[in-house]
């Protein structure tokens, strides 16, 4: 077998996402042996020297750094993987692009459209490959939903409905800012559920159903003040705890989206449903190997919702795993993203969503927040979304 080409990774950030990405890099060679490229875990970076050493040992990184600029300066790194809080994505990505590094950036791309645009410009100017980890696209049942819609089986699409429900911030004692709770701090995160959770729903929705053209939204911040974990001060909360919006898609369908961190009992309930002229599909993250499908053209006496167990070799990604009937999990979506990024280096095609695609998602998020503040409909400025 020909020697593999190496993609030498410099990972910045060792939180939850640092772990999901590292697992992706580690699993790919076992399950995607035909790829020309293989990831090499060159260096991991975090401010705490002791913790970053332990992370490197646990996940198999060759070395550590405590300053992200040192990672970008290294000649033995080809790609920078950004797993830090949202307020540092732009600075790190722009520096990485200037140094000619490829960039794999955790979602959302940035806090604002302005930041995201600068990142796109820097990446385009440098001509470097990029991708953003909107991982849910790469769950086989979600990829299959796209294939089914693209095949025309649903006919004209009328409705796209999505939810992302959690309940981890109901207590007023949850702080804002700091490790683990930076998502609660508007300066670090940019927004609340809109950028953190609805961004996933918007990415999947536009990938499957095309551009969202205009939006009307309402947001709420249920707990108005929280202690800041770094300053110790009780400060106003600037993020949206909940957001509901409706919208038009360019294809004429209507969208309805809801996200909250106040839905008691729901930990990460991401669901979507699409209703077309002939058929409907729906998906639920808590039962991620299944895609529900209803086809009105079925013979009347057996017509009904089918529950398709997406574990067969002819369904997306599933030929790479076990045998038909055996399911996979959340972590595999990250393995698939690594595999697709490596494949994109072979084919020269972008690994969607790249920075440009994710800028479009950012535009929808910003229009949603603007609409809620101004209590009016807002155009997103997204004209087409074909990735
Ligand atoms: C928030 O709790 C979070 O971890 C998001 O940041 C992730 O993007 C989402 O996939 C799961 O929930």
């Amino acid at each position: 077998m020909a020697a593999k080409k190496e993609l030498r990774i410099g990972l910045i950030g060792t939180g939850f996402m640092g772990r999901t990405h590292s697992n992706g890099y580690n699993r790919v060679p076992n399950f995607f042996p035909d790829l020309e490229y293989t990831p090499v875990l060159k260096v991991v970076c975090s401010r705490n020297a002791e913790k970053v050493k332990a992370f490197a040992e646990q996940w198999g990184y060759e070395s550590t750094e405590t300053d992200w600029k040192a990672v970008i300066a290294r000649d033995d790194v080809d790609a920078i993987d950004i797993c830090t809080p949202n307020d540092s994505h732009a600075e790190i990505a722009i520096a990485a692009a200037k140094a000619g590094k490829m960039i794999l950036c955790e979602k959302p791309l940035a806090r604002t459209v302005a930041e995201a645009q600068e990142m796109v410009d820097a990446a385009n100017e440098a001509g470097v490959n990029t991708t953003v980890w909107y991982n849910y696209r790469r769950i086989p049942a979600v990829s299959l939903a796209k294939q089914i819609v693209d095949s025309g089986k649903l006919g004209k699409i009328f409705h796209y409905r999505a939810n992302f429900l959690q309940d981890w911030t109901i207590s007023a004692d949850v702080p804002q800012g700091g490790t683990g709770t930076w998502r609660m701090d508007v300066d670090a995160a940019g927004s609340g559920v809109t950028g953190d959770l609805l961004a996933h729903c918007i990415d999947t929705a536009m990938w499957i159903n095309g551009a969202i053209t205009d939006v009307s939204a309402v947001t709420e911040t249920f707990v108005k003040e929280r202690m800041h974990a770094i300053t110790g001060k009780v400060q106003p909360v600037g993020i949206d705890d909940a957001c509901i919006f409706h919208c038009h898609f360019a294809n004429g369908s209507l969208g309805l989206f809801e996200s909250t961190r106040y839905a008691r009992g729901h930990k990460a309930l991401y669901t979507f449903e699409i209703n077309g002229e002939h058929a409907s599909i729906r998906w639920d993250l808590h039962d991620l190997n299944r895609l529900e499908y209803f086809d009105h053209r079925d013979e009347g006496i057996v017509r009904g919702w089918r529950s398709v167990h997406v574990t067969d070799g002819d369904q997306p990604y599933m030929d790479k795993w076990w045998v038909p009937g055996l399911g996979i999990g959340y972590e595999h979506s990250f393995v698939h993203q690594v595999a697709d990024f490596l494949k994109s280096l072979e084919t020269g095609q972008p690994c969607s969503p790249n920075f440009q695609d994710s800028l479009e998602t950012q535009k929808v998020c910003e229009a949603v927040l603007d609409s809620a503040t101004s209590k009016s409909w807002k155009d997103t400025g997204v004209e087409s979304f074909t990735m």
Side-chain angles (χ1 to χ4, degrees), residues 64 80 104 108 123 139 145 149 207 231 250 261 281 294 297 302 323 335 339 348 363 374 386:
T64 63
I80 301 295
L104 303 98
I139 287 177
V149 171
W207 184 53
T231 64
R261 292 175 178 148
I281 45 182
F294 177 95
R297 292 160 298 193
V302 292
V323 294
V335 183
K363 287 180 188 168
S374 64
T386 50

Side-chain angles (χ1 to χ4, degrees), residues 208-341:
I208 296 179
N209 196 40
I212 292 175
T213 53
D214 53 347
V215 299
S216 171
V218 57
T219 57
E220 185 53 72
T221 304
F222 295 114
V223 176
K224 310 283 185 211
E225 290 189 325
R226 290 180 186 272
M227 197 193 69
H228 199 285
I230 297 173
T231 64
K233 287 193 189 129
V234 175
Q235 290 175 201
V237 174
I239 58 152
D240 44 309
D241 286 336
C243 177
I244 300 170
F245 77 91
H246 56 175
C247 63
H248 293 106
F249 285 85
N251 65 6
S253 58
L254 294 181
L256 180 60
F257 294 75
E258 179 185 13
S259 183
T260 179
R261 292 175 178 148
Y262 287 69
R264 185 59 89 202
H266 294 303
K267 307 300 169 187
L269 185 69
Y270 177 15
T271 56
F272 66 77
E273 175 163 331
I274 311 170
N275 308 124
E277 175 189 3
H278 306 303
S280 291
I281 45 182
R282 65 182 181 216
W283 176 79
D284 174 346
L285 174 57
H286 286 188
D287 197 6
L288 59 81
N289 288 296
R290 289 195 178 271
L291 190 66
E292 308 279 323
Y293 179 81
F294 177 95
D295 198 321
H296 185 67
R297 292 160 298 193
D298 285 346
E299 196 189 343
I301 52 161
V302 292
R303 189 186 297 138
W305 281 91
R306 305 177 204 172
S307 178
V308 183
H309 198 220
V310 188
T311 57
D312 229 323
D314 50 9
Q315 290 163 328
Y317 300 107
M318 288 312 295
D319 60 329
K320 300 289 185 279
W321 296 98
W322 312 111
V323 294
L326 302 185
I328 60 169
Y330 166 77
E331 69 274 27
H332 298 79
S333 60
F334 295 89
V335 183
H336 298 161
Q337 180 125 12
V338 173
D340 289 344
F341 188 76

Side-chain angles (χ1 to χ4, degrees), residues 16 107 136 164 166 168 183 196-197 200 330:
F16 166 32
K107 52 56 59 177
Y136 295 109
F164 206 137
Q166 298 187 334
W168 64 281
R183 286 178 177 79
D196 191 36
L197 302 176
H200 278 302
Y330 166 77

Side-chain angles (χ1 to χ4, degrees), residues 81-104:
D81 186 347
I82 305 173
C83 291
T84 53
N86 305 344
D87 57 343
S88 52
H89 288 190
E91 192 186 2
I92 299 175
I94 292 165
K98 285 192 175 143
K101 310 290 188 194
M102 301 177 211
I103 311 161
L104 303 98

